[in-house]
Amino acid sequence: MGRKVVAARFGALAAGLLVAAVALPDGARAGTGTPARAAVLTDAQVAALSPDAQAVRLGPLRAVANAVGAAGRGVAADVYGNLAIDAGQSVVTVYLTDTGQAARVSAAARAVDPTIDTSLIRFQKAAATHAALDTAAQRVVALADAGKLPMHVDLVGPAADASGLQLDVDDPAAAPAAFGPSTTNLAASLGVPIVYRQGRSLQAKAWANTKWDDSSPFIGGDALTAGGTGHGCTAGLPAIRKSDKHPIMVTAAHCFGVGTKIYTHAGTPGDYANGLKGDYVGTVTARVQEWDAETVDGANNNADESDTTGWMRLTSFAYSYNGDYVCHDGQRSYFMGHPTPCDIKVTDQDMYCGPSTGCPGLSYTARGVWGDAVDNGWGAAGGDSGATMFAVEPGGVRQARGLLSDGTPGDGTPGVFWTEATDIFNYYGLTLNPQT
């Protein structure tokens, strides 16, 4: 593969959040306003920052989000609702069912990562815990799959501000009556508030193309095909097994069946109809539907992603949180003149999507993250499935976030759905390949 490193320019868009004052321990500040160390920026100013400047601004916020998120999945699960990064204000808003527990949650986050700056945290009231909202989401998915919902639901999961269970529906105004006492009374039976939002149909991005005819070691963003015809898919997570350090490439589970031999494309770049196969990447050995991920075992890989004009290192992996910004290296977007789409803002960090809940391209329900390219920008194209979702870090390196799975219909439309690298690695006993 090529080894010419070139920095690309990525934008970002900040989300404004109204924050409420809550006291923090150890002299840390909390309340309405912004820490003196960071100037307040408008959305346009954040978007105009260089990649390194954006990464520097987001770095401490991401560290806080990772630590609080870990605490929220663990010792603070009894009060944790959700969190959101606000890049413009340089704060992380954390939603708790009991804001009187702010000191405990802050301490739990510091126990995860003692280096975080807790003065960046703002606490707000949550209507329900993340655990309760997630349980309710799973029940709605089951009802949708059984055809027992009174109207179509596109996506379901905890609302970004933990104000309730978010249901994306065709007609939000009619939804309260449809889900109320006159029919299934779902709102009462779930035990959590329901928040309705305008829905959107999705479309699997399973026909892809990113850097056409790579050779071993393969990297994220390489173009994958089984037969040399059609758009194929994209290589996503260059990994190794923890048990024996054996290299494993991961792509989207809806791309190829178990036992299928996978190759790169060959011939003229972008010619999806030539029937040519390039180098052998590996054979699909396992699939997991929940994370829409499958393992490809064969050739070696490096922990890099195929970027606009060369490769960039993947040096870590993490969850995505509301308000953060990510990119992907989907191969077909590249050949359509949109290499390395960025400015994809995380809007819903824990959503369920399946054949009866907004992802008709999937035959199963997957749990992942929803993001929208800001200002109606380029999201993804058919054929980008399996691509590496990543965040830009200081120094031109990348942090892997997951695999591109679905998106809004049409090439280039802004909505993108992906499953998370951490969950995929935990399921398969993998980790990011340390070799770049």
Side-chain angles (χ1 to χ4, degrees), residues 137-163:
Q138 293 181 59
R139 183 178 173 199
V140 171
V141 169
L143 291 171
D145 289 343
K148 295 182 178 180
L149 291 182
M151 66 167 51
H152 175 72
V153 172
D154 284 330
L155 291 172
V156 57
D161 61 357
S163 57

Side-chain angles (χ1 to χ4, degrees), residues 49 64 92 96 131 163 173 203 209 225 252 260 262 301 315 321 331 341 356 369:
L49 293 174
V64 168
V92 176
L96 304 179
S163 57
Q203 181 184 65
N209 166 353
T225 182
T260 304
I262 307 302
N301 66 67
T315 58
Y321 290 99
Q331 51 132 338
S356 53
V369 180

Side-chain angles (χ1 to χ4, degrees), residues 50-207:
S50 69
D52 279 346
Q54 288 179 13
V56 168
R57 189 175 184 89
L58 283 164
L61 303 175
R62 289 168 172 167
V64 168
N66 285 328
V68 174
R73 292 187 294 274
V75 297
D78 59 319
V79 293
Y80 173 72
N82 221 339
L83 65 81
I85 293 171
D86 183 344
Q89 297 285 335
S90 287
V91 298
V92 176
T93 302
V94 179
Y95 299 91
L96 304 179
T97 55
D98 180 5
T99 54
Q101 297 294 311
R104 177 169 73 91
V105 174
S106 182
R110 287 201 310 275
V112 173
D113 182 357
T115 69
I116 64 170
D117 182 358
T118 54
S119 74
L120 300 176
I121 303 175
R122 303 292 183 266
F123 289 95
Q124 283 194 14
K125 178 70 174 176
T129 66
H130 193 278
L133 294 171
D134 187 71
T135 297
Q138 293 181 59
R139 183 178 173 199
V140 171
V141 169
L143 291 171
D145 289 343
K148 295 182 178 180
L149 291 182
M151 66 167 51
H152 175 72
V153 172
D154 284 330
L155 291 172
V156 57
D161 61 357
S163 57
L165 180 66
Q166 180 179 297
L167 301 184
D168 288 8
V169 296
D170 295 335
D171 187 351
F179 285 95
S182 62
T183 54
T184 60
N185 199 17
L186 180 64
S189 65
L190 288 176
V192 297
I194 297 182
V195 178
Y196 301 103
R197 190 178 68 170
Q198 181 62 52
R200 53 208 164 183
S201 61
L202 306 184
Q203 181 184 65
K205 303 297 186 182
W207 304 116

Side-chain angles (χ1 to χ4, degrees), residues 246-296:
H246 181 74
I248 297 288
M249 180 61 76
V250 187
T251 188
H254 65 266
C255 289
F256 310 105
V258 173
T260 304
K261 294 184 183 297
I262 307 302
Y263 304 83
T264 62
H265 278 281
T268 303
D271 182 0
Y272 294 102
N274 63 24
L276 300 177
K277 295 184 291 186
D279 293 301
Y280 174 68
V281 179
T283 299
V284 178
T285 55
R287 300 168 71 245
V288 57
Q289 295 179 344
E290 183 177 8
W291 312 121
D292 192 21
E294 63 186 18
T295 53
V296 181

Side-chain angles (χ1 to χ4, degrees), residues 5-11 50-52 307-309 312 339-340 342 392 398:
V5 181
V6 177
R9 182 173 183 81
F10 307 106
S50 69
D52 279 346
D307 211 88
T308 301
T309 57
M312 304 295 284
T340 322
C342 282
V392 178
R398 274 73 169 116

